Amino acid sequence: MADTLRQRAEKRLGMLKNERTSWETNWRELSDFIQPMRSRLLCDQQVNKGDRRNNKIINNEATEDSGALAAGMMSGLTSRSRPWFNLVVQNKKAMEFGPVKDWLFEASERMRDVLLRSNYYNCQHVSYLEMGVFGTGAIWIDADPKTGIRCEVFTAGEYYVANGADGKCNSFYREFKLTAAQMAERFGKENLSSQAQNALSQSQQDQWFDCVQMVEPNADHVPGSKASKRLPFIGLVWEKAAPSEKVLEQKGYHEFPVAVMRWDALPGDCYGTGPGRRCMGDIKALQLYERNSARMVEAGANPAIQAPSSLRGQPSSTTPGSITYVDQVGGQNQMAPIYTPDAKWLQFIEAKIA
């Protein structure tokens, strides 16, 4: 018996997971040292969690620089405040024809208006950040009845991609979570699994459920057909807990709906590398120097003290202005630092940090 579309997709998802494993360790490191609140890897698939994740960052220069990179690309490439693209046709002579110019101008203006009314620019800014840090960014662009289009930007670790013969991404898989209420609003209560329907009936509509979304070239594509299941690309959303024959949504697309961008990718690579990966050695060294600098300052401001054994159990203090009585001053019984740090070393560390 032939596998269903969902069963074939689940098998391919397993293969894409295996292909991506070599990138995950590096992504986790990039997240730890540059953007702790971004990326979802392994056990980090939980959503709506505000736990502290920046424990490895002492100097946040790399975090600020990644934001500056994204802002610079946003203003230089896709600024919302000025026209950054114009439509043209391949026939250069046609561009000299007045009605063609008017049509292209009007179409460009309408496209800019759609982008401004949607959340495209917010998502594009985040995708630049993802691309600069992790090397890869992805935005899902879908139709919306209110704003024309609706975009959703993803973070490293929650999606899987595959390339076509031309080296461009043509397959996208994503693991994510939705609450029972969100699934009912988006896909209809009748399409939910029995577990999700029970959660709704028991007023547990905010319970999270694991879902998968995919879009890839449609093996059943029929050129010229207007039927959704015969379009060039096929999309599927299913709930992991649902039976294998049950899906939340099956939808066809005329064009690949995901903009996957890579900063720098080798031939055959599905994922890219960016400035974050090239700078990781400097970023780690910066944290090390900051830690050493703090230790030296602490050692000079609050050095370890040696004291005579006769003071054991007696009141003593190193607070400025306090008095500690000892039997002999200037001899072996005085309280004194074990060693005196050389303050000149601090300027060398600060120079390395700069």
Side-chain angles (χ1 to χ4, degrees):
M1 186 176 180
D3 291 338
T4 63
L5 178 60
R6 173 182 164 179
Q7 290 172 331
R8 296 198 302 270
E10 287 174 332
K11 290 180 180 179
R12 190 179 188 193
L13 176 60
M15 297 176 63
L16 294 178
K17 281 185 177 182
N18 185 61
E19 285 285 326
R20 202 192 68 179
T21 52
S22 62
W23 298 85
E24 293 172 358
T25 301
N26 186 257
W27 288 346
R28 180 177 292 278
E29 199 170 48
L30 290 167
S31 175
D32 288 342
F33 285 93
I34 305 178
Q35 286 291 341
M37 296 308 295
R38 301 209 63 82
S39 89
R40 286 180 178 152
L41 293 163
L42 304 178
C43 61
D44 295 341
Q45 291 289 347
Q46 294 182 351
V47 296
N48 204 30
K49 300 294 182 182
D51 302 337
R52 183 182 177 185
R53 305 178 190 174
N54 61 343
N55 297 320
K56 295 184 179 180
I57 297 178
I58 301 174
N59 186 319
N60 67 341
E61 179 68 23
T63 304
E64 295 296 326
D65 288 347
S66 64
L69 181 147
M73 294 184 67
M74 192 71 196
S75 62
L77 295 177
T78 52
S79 173
R80 71 171 71 204
S81 61
R82 59 179 174 80
W84 53 273
F85 69 89
N86 286 304
L87 298 181
V88 298
V89 294
Q90 292 181 350
N91 190 334
K92 300 301 181 182
K93 291 184 178 180
M95 289 290 296
E96 301 174 1
F97 187 48
V100 173
K101 288 184 178 180
D102 294 338
W103 187 91
L104 292 173
F105 175 80
E106 179 66 22
S108 299
E109 287 295 303
R110 293 191 182 191
M111 289 178 64
R112 295 190 189 104
D113 182 61
V114 169
L115 294 178
L116 283 171
R117 287 188 288 110
S118 71
N119 64 336
Y120 167 78
Y121 287 104
N122 294 334
C123 291
Q124 185 63 69
H125 179 269
V126 177
S127 72
Y128 285 145
L129 182 65
E130 285 278 324
M131 186 169 53
V133 175
F134 302 103
T136 308
I139 305 177
W140 187 290
I141 305 175
D142 209 345
D144 186 88
K146 295 181 180 179
T147 59
I149 62 172
R150 176 180 52 82
C151 304
E152 187 175 2
V153 63
F154 307 112
T155 188
E158 70 172 336
Y159 61 86
Y160 310 84
V161 297
N163 294 336
D166 57 359
K168 297 180 180 179
C169 178
N170 69 353
S171 299
F172 182 89
Y173 282 68
R174 176 170 78 106
E175 293 181 302
F176 64 110
K177 291 178 181 287
L178 289 175
T179 65
Q182 290 171 339
M183 289 193 295
E185 178 182 353
R186 180 174 172 181
F187 306 111
K189 184 177 179 180
E190 66 280 359
N191 293 318
L192 306 187
S193 66
S194 57
Q195 295 92 323
Q197 292 181 2
N198 290 337
L200 289 173
S201 62
Q202 296 172 8
S203 299
Q204 297 179 353
Q205 61 268 26
D206 293 314
Q207 180 179 342
W208 294 97
F209 291 87
D210 293 320
C211 300
V212 181
Q213 183 179 30
M214 77 85 173
V215 61
E216 63 185 11
N218 189 1
D220 299 323
H221 168 52
V222 177
S225 175
K226 297 182 180 180
S228 179
K229 294 183 179 181
R230 298 291 183 264
L231 294 180
F233 293 90
I234 191 69
L236 203 65
V237 183
W238 71 88
E239 189 183 342
K240 286 187 176 181
S244 59
E245 69 278 359
K246 194 175 183 65
V247 298
L248 293 171
E249 181 185 65
Q250 183 173 345
K251 182 179 179 181
Y253 296 91
H254 291 277
E255 299 175 340
F256 189 58
V258 190
V260 178
M261 55 209 79
R262 279 75 65 99
W263 183 282
D264 182 20
L266 293 175
D269 284 357
C270 297
Y271 306 95
T273 58
R277 189 164 187 170
R278 293 198 295 269
C279 298
M280 183 51 61
D282 294 319
I283 295 169
K284 286 184 175 181
L286 175 62
Q287 309 309 321
L288 176 63
Y289 292 141
E290 286 285 2
R291 188 176 292 109
N292 289 341
S293 175
R295 284 173 178 168
M296 185 161 289
V297 171
E298 178 69 11
N302 187 24
I305 298 295
Q306 63 182 3
S309 59
S310 59
L311 287 181
R312 187 186 300 274
Q314 300 298 319
S316 61
S317 174
T318 58
T319 304
S322 63
I323 299 176
T324 299
Y325 295 96
V326 297
D327 295 334
Q328 182 180 350
V329 177
Q332 295 298 321
N333 286 348
Q334 72 180 32
M335 297 180 66
I338 294 176
Y339 64 92
T340 302
D342 188 352
K344 291 187 296 184
W345 276 102
L346 186 59
Q347 63 182 336
F348 299 139
I349 294 179
E350 289 179 344
K352 290 292 289 184
I353 289 173

